[in-house]
């Protein structure tokens, strides 16, 4: 069925998500709905530490269209699993905006 095919495809993508680091063009072309679906998976533990820089590149690829999704995307991942050096180099106000409800995630990840 279509549902089985969709489920199988998502499982394959999630299991091989690390390949997106090498398939930059393909990752940058992901539509927002699919990206949110993938990030919502609890099976990305093997690549969680790589997700924030990947998401930043995804947004930077088309900032006028994608910046509005950035805070919601970052809310789907565990920032505490991210490389601390990368976190400290970033400006959380650019990612989460001033007064964003997700800013607390950033602060907690830096503790």
């Amino acid at each position: 069925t279509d549902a089985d095919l969709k489920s199988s495809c998502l499982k394959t993508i999630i299991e091989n998500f690390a390949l997106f680091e090498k398939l930059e063009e393909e990752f940058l072309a992901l539509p927002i709905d699919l990206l949110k679906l993938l990030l919502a998976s609890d099976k990305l533990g093997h690549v969680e530490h790589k997700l924030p820089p990947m998401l930043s590149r995804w947004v930077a690829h088309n900032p006028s269209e994608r910046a509005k999704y950035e805070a919601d995307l970052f809310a789907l991942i565990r920032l505490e699993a991210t490389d601390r050096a990368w976190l400290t180099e970033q400006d959380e106000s650019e990612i989460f905006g001033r007064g964003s409800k997700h800013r607390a995630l950033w602060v907690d990840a830096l503790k």
Side-chain angles (χ1 to χ4, degrees), residues 41-104:
S41 169
D42 60 355
K43 302 202 184 311
L44 289 178
H46 62 293
V47 294
E48 272 187 311
H49 64 286
K50 297 179 180 186
L51 293 176
M54 291 173 72
L55 291 179
S56 290
R57 287 193 306 273
W58 184 87
V59 171
H61 184 68
N62 186 354
S64 62
E65 175 60 31
R66 296 177 173 181
K68 62 188 173 197
Y69 302 119
E70 195 164 28
D72 290 335
L73 292 173
F74 272 82
L76 291 171
I77 62 174
R78 291 182 333 125
L79 284 173
E80 65 272 11
T82 304
D83 177 44
R84 192 172 176 79
W86 184 88
L87 283 172
T88 58
E89 292 172 3
Q90 307 309 306
D91 180 353
E92 78 272 4
S93 67
E94 287 183 24
I95 292 175
F96 295 112
R98 301 215 181 270
S100 169
K101 61 183 179 181
H102 302 301
R103 187 177 183 282

